[in-house]
Amino acid sequence: MEDLLVSSWCKDRAVPETYIFPPEQRPGKLIDVPVGNNIPVVDLGVHDQTQIIQQIFEASQDFGFFQVINHGVPNRLMDDAMSVFKEFHAMSAKDKTFECSKDPNKSCSVYTGSQNYAKEKFHLWRDGLLHLCNPQEKYIQFWPEKPTRYREIVGTYTTVVRKLGFRILEFISQGLGISPVHFSSGLAENPRLLVNHYPPCPDPSLTLGQGKHRDPSIINILLQSEVYGLQVFKDEEWIGVKPIPYAFVVNIGYPLQIISNGKLKGAEHRVVTNSNLARTTASFFINPLDETIIEPAKTLVDASNPALYRSLLYKNFLIKYIATSGNTQALEEALSSSTE
Ligand code: OGA
Ligand code: NI
């Protein structure tokens, strides 16, 4: 693993053959797509809750993506978290591997590519640090101890961002007209933090930090650095997500598309690389427990609105998600109620 991390070798080489995407999946000239007509920005600091609910609902329907500002997470905490995330990925490969080897059950890991490097047809220009977060007393002992402030800062960061996540899920529930406590039993119990690192790439037109995908989480709350890289696929076009200082990017994952019975969109997105600058981001995925049932909310289903998706346990959803490896059509078919 140590030698495989992109950050270990990328300075000395052109893009290796095994990192070049097939022509139809390469970003090519679309590395810099317009960021003008952008995803909605929702101000969570306004008094009018109805307005917030409406804006989040519309953005989740139209784009499956929005940014939030005035969300209550202190700027200082966001800066500190981003600093330790960058420091972690700047450590030697040996240290990174050592710091992530404390749990025999591998609740904390460092990896490169898609977590299944050996089976990838082509590799991603990305290293990742992934760990479970909840309950914190159980998992914090397996988190990195280097950088020295990692546990303290990330412990606070994940607690605060989790609360923000619950607030956003409440707004989403209200927009959908389902119980405000819909997400409080199992569906949001197993959050995980993924710290992505995309080193500078000698030719960003050939490869991607992450290929086109939908997230297998309920929602993701993303801290992105000042460096641009995230693109959303909407109406057959790629649009760039503008980095806004101290905003979080929120996106709907596929399980929430199922829960909303297709009302909300688990949007497809990807990450392009940058030729001069490294980019570090942190995804806080709000995830269900393995044994939680994923199905359209009962109140959204009746004779005139039949369930579009069948019920399944989250762990079985994941098996299908992994088996269809990014093929949206195949996943849609595997989960559709008509293929039962
Ligand atoms: C992800 C993701 C976007 C980014 O982690 O699933 O889409 O900009 N991240 O890193
Ligand atoms: Ni994603």
Side-chain angles (χ1 to χ4, degrees), residues 7 27 45 58 64 67 113 122 165 198 214 226 254 290 306 322:
S7 44
E58 281 172 12
Q67 306 211 42
F122 38 87
Y198 312 98
R214 290 194 274 189
E226 58 293 344
Y254 200 73
D290 280 352
I322 292 162

Side-chain angles (χ1 to χ4, degrees), residues 100-204:
C100 295
S101 60
K102 293 167 188 160
D103 184 3
N105 291 321
K106 300 200 169 28
S107 66
C108 177
S109 60
V110 63
Y111 64 91
T112 190
S114 69
Q115 261 192 301
N116 197 355
Y117 185 89
K119 287 205 177 144
E120 285 167 2
K121 293 199 198 92
F122 38 87
H123 302 307
L124 306 178
W125 200 268
R126 176 284 289 271
D127 297 334
L129 157 66
L130 176 69
H131 61 70
L132 294 179
C133 298
N134 194 56
Q136 197 175 99
E137 324 71 86
K138 177 170 173 193
Y139 290 115
I140 197 166
Q141 59 184 313
F142 304 124
W143 296 2
E145 283 173 289
K146 250 173 93 179
T148 44
R149 293 184 66 207
Y150 189 92
R151 289 184 182 177
E152 174 202 335
I153 291 170
V154 179
T156 310
Y157 177 80
T158 51
T159 304
V160 173
V161 173
R162 184 160 180 249
K163 284 197 188 124
L164 171 63
F166 277 117
R167 216 176 132 211
I168 292 170
L169 285 174
E170 252 180 67
F171 289 135
I172 290 176
S173 309
Q174 285 169 291
L176 280 169
I178 64 178
S179 159
V181 296
H182 193 90
F183 295 98
S184 56
S185 56
L187 285 172
E189 276 303 293
N190 199 18
R192 58 190 63 206
L193 182 75
L194 168 60
V195 182
N196 295 296
H197 181 67
Y198 312 98
C201 174
D203 188 347

Side-chain angles (χ1 to χ4, degrees), residues 65 211-215 230-232 238 251 267-270:
F65 261 88
K212 187 181 185 186
H213 71 283
R214 290 194 274 189
D215 292 344
L230 176 59
Q231 299 183 338
V232 178
W238 288 104
N251 73 282
E268 292 178 298
H269 53 285
R270 70 179 183 186

